[in-house]
Amino acid sequence: WGTTDRAGSLLKDGVFSYWLEDDILKSTVTWKAGLKQGAYSSYHPSGEALEAGAFRDDLKDGKWVTTRAAVQSDPGIPASTLESTQIWAEGKRHGAFIRYDVQCGWWVEKGSFKEGVKHGEWSTRPGPRYYSCDESGLAVRGTWSSRNRAETCSRGNYREGQKYGVW
């Protein structure tokens, strides 16, 4: 089950799983000599993935992916479960960060961190981008706005999967 430290306290060693009531898996984490070391996964009460990443010396390290529980609010709009991806180094956000929208999974905010602080250029997608997408993520109805940095490239409406009206 583990080793002991100098004081004789048991140190966790191995893969441990933590459970909610009703035998619902909450998380799985790898321990080595009492420190989180290696793969980590946590889960929504529904059993769907919540967060996945890795630890090094008890600190988040490398790429972490966070997801949201699948919620279908409109049958015409596929829901995306991907919430964010981010890079960690020595327990601090350090590197690329991307947050995704609930619909179609398109990024809505992206940038980077340096030693836990936002750093450099950050981009966000403003306003309504779409109201409905098909399975491939293409707009089928609603308002659409395409941007390249601060400049709007195109704007218009879709109806039945086709551009409609003035663009």
Side-chain angles (χ1 to χ4, degrees):
W1 285 92
T3 57
T4 57
D5 63 11
R6 288 181 151 183
S9 299
L10 183 65
L11 300 175
K12 292 180 182 178
D13 227 346
V15 178
F16 283 68
S17 295
Y18 300 89
W19 301 84
L20 299 172
E21 293 178 16
D22 301 325
D23 291 330
I24 298 171
L25 182 61
K26 179 181 179 182
S27 63
T28 302
V29 63
T30 304
W31 293 83
K32 186 171 182 179
L35 298 176
K36 292 175 192 166
Q37 198 78 266
Y40 171 85
S41 299
S42 65
Y43 303 89
H44 291 281
S46 64
E48 297 171 288
L50 169 63
E51 192 171 41
F55 284 95
R56 186 180 348 168
D57 299 330
D58 230 19
L59 301 172
K60 286 183 174 184
D61 196 64
K63 183 177 182 178
W64 281 67
V65 176
T66 305
T67 59
R68 60 179 68 82
V71 176
Q72 191 70 42
S73 58
D74 180 341
I77 304 172
S80 171
T81 58
L82 182 59
E83 186 171 311
S84 67
T85 58
Q86 53 192 326
I87 306 298
W88 291 77
E90 299 177 357
K92 295 181 182 178
R93 293 177 182 177
H94 191 85
F97 170 86
I98 304 173
R99 186 169 51 91
Y100 299 90
D101 191 68
V102 175
Q103 298 174 347
C104 300
W106 288 35
W107 71 268
V108 292
E109 179 181 30
K110 64 181 176 177
S112 64
F113 283 89
K114 185 173 184 180
E115 297 180 5
V117 179
K118 285 184 175 183
H119 178 75
E121 183 177 339
W122 278 74
S123 301
T124 58
R125 287 192 172 159
R129 292 166 305 288
Y130 49 78
Y131 291 116
S132 179
C133 300
D134 66 14
E135 291 178 5
S136 68
L138 297 175
V140 290
R141 64 180 159 90
T143 302
W144 186 268
S145 182
S146 174
R147 299 176 60 86
N148 180 1
R149 296 194 184 251
E151 195 176 318
T152 300
C153 300
S154 63
R155 179 178 293 161
N157 292 298
Y158 275 91
R159 183 182 287 172
E160 307 293 325
Q162 302 292 318
K163 287 183 178 180
Y164 175 81
V166 177
W167 275 74

